[in-house]
Amino acid sequence: MQLNLTNPLVFFDLETTGINIAKDRIVEISLLKIMPDGTEDSKTRRINPQMHIPEQATAIHGITDDDVKDCPTFKMISKSLVQCIEGCDLAGFNSNKFDIPMLAEEFMRADLDIDLNNRRLIDVQTIFHKMEQRTLIAAYKFYCGKDLENAHQAESDTRATYEVLKAQLDRYPELVNDINELSKLSFSTNNVDFAGRIVYNEKGEEVVNFGRYKGELVKTVLKNDGSYYTWIIQGDFPLNTKQKFTEIYKRVKNEW
């Protein structure tokens, strides 16, 4: 089944130095842009992360320091990347939990405040888990009937994710071939920040989602604990998380 698109949809996958959104960096990005008429455009770039790629990460994706030493930094390609995804919705595998937060963090480090919240985000893994509970390799075998060669290489994973989503639409008649509906289905939590440190409650209020204040309203915590905001800003948190705390802080401080 072909996707029913109103905007271009960019499938993307990241290979990184690790899984810490605040500290780790992208070493490879692959994008597969699907136009509403079904035409495709694929691009893959390796990136110099300006830090050592740990051996544990190399064991997964096969990329070493030598492989990227002459590659551009993320900041060098950031503006062209923004142009590539301009006006596009975004899709990936486990993308809402990892790739989107990591990409947003890299944009902020490059001094580009790109609002990814206004994009429709499709997470094929979330759809898969709600339907079958498997991994990408198993998903590709289950839905497409093929073995995924070169797993954990960004280009292979990106292409496989695209094929899996199309096969999911073929397999499940209850899935609506509509980007709005697929985006809604892709979210398992109602995050305020990409890392999920703040979530919305049933009233649409921002709530702390970690630590000793978990479950409490952010505005109440900021009012009652004068050092909490400073701790967040100075702490080892993603830039996007700090940004959202700052937005709430500025919004509510006049109410105190």
Side-chain angles (χ1 to χ4, degrees):
M1 179 182 292
Q2 293 301 311
L3 297 179
N4 180 20
L5 303 178
T6 54
N7 297 330
L9 180 61
V10 175
F11 289 83
F12 78 103
D13 185 70
L14 307 177
E15 302 301 339
T16 65
T17 59
I19 60 174
N20 187 316
I21 294 169
K23 292 183 177 180
D24 284 306
R25 301 292 188 268
I26 297 172
V27 298
E28 186 175 69
I29 181 170
S30 185
L31 303 101
L32 176 62
K33 181 184 287 189
I34 312 299
M35 304 302 291
D37 65 2
T39 58
E40 304 175 6
D41 183 30
S42 178
K43 296 179 181 179
T44 299
R45 294 292 300 271
R46 285 193 173 176
I47 298 169
N48 186 336
Q50 299 179 288
M51 64 178 290
H52 172 59
I53 302 175
E55 287 69 24
Q56 303 96 309
T58 297
I60 294 173
H61 50 57
I63 302 172
T64 66
D65 290 340
D66 285 341
D67 293 331
V68 296
K69 63 181 181 181
D70 297 321
C71 293
T73 65
F74 185 88
K75 188 168 186 176
M76 293 170 65
I77 69 165
S78 58
K79 290 184 179 179
S80 63
L81 183 56
V82 169
Q83 292 176 348
C84 181
I85 66 174
E86 183 68 28
C88 300
D89 298 315
L90 300 174
F93 197 87
N94 194 35
S95 50
N96 285 353
K97 293 181 180 179
F98 180 73
D99 300 83
I100 290 290
M102 178 66 78
L103 185 61
E105 198 75 0
E106 289 279 33
F107 276 136
M108 294 186 72
R109 293 188 194 107
D111 299 319
L112 293 174
D113 189 7
I114 307 302
D115 186 6
L116 298 180
N117 289 293
N118 63 5
R119 312 296 180 95
R120 291 175 294 187
L121 307 175
I122 312 299
D123 192 332
V124 174
Q125 185 193 60
T126 301
I127 296 173
F128 181 39
H129 283 178
K130 288 183 177 180
M131 298 295 183
E132 299 293 345
Q133 305 292 315
R134 301 270 172 81
T135 63
L136 177 57
I137 294 174
Y140 193 63
K141 181 70 172 180
F142 182 85
Y143 289 111
C144 304
K146 295 180 285 186
D147 294 320
L148 178 56
E149 299 179 3
N150 301 318
H152 298 299
Q153 292 186 12
E155 186 170 355
S156 296
D157 288 357
T158 299
R159 172 68 60 176
T161 301
Y162 171 47
E163 293 184 19
V164 167
L165 179 56
K166 291 194 296 180
Q168 286 175 330
L169 289 167
D170 285 329
R171 186 177 187 89
Y172 304 111
E174 65 269 32
L175 282 183
V176 180
N177 190 358
D178 176 83
I179 295 301
N180 281 323
E181 295 303 318
L182 293 173
S183 179
K184 291 176 183 177
L185 187 59
S186 294
F187 282 91
S188 55
T189 58
N190 199 12
N191 292 353
V192 175
D193 64 320
F194 289 123
R197 299 297 185 123
I198 313 170
V199 296
Y200 292 109
N201 63 15
E202 65 279 1
K203 297 180 180 179
E205 301 168 311
E206 296 101 339
V207 173
V208 178
N209 195 37
F210 72 102
R212 67 183 185 277
Y213 291 125
K214 184 173 182 179
E216 297 190 33
L217 294 177
V218 175
K219 64 180 182 181
T220 301
V221 174
L222 293 176
K223 178 180 179 180
N224 295 336
D225 186 344
S227 64
Y228 188 74
Y229 176 69
T230 301
W231 176 69
I232 291 291
I233 297 303
Q234 296 179 352
D236 186 20
F237 294 98
L239 295 176
N240 176 252
T241 299
K242 295 179 181 181
Q243 180 187 51
K244 296 303 180 183
F245 269 105
T246 298
E247 290 175 0
I248 299 170
Y249 177 78
K250 289 181 178 179
R251 189 184 75 229
V252 304
K253 67 177 182 179
N254 293 330
E255 300 175 5
W256 304 344

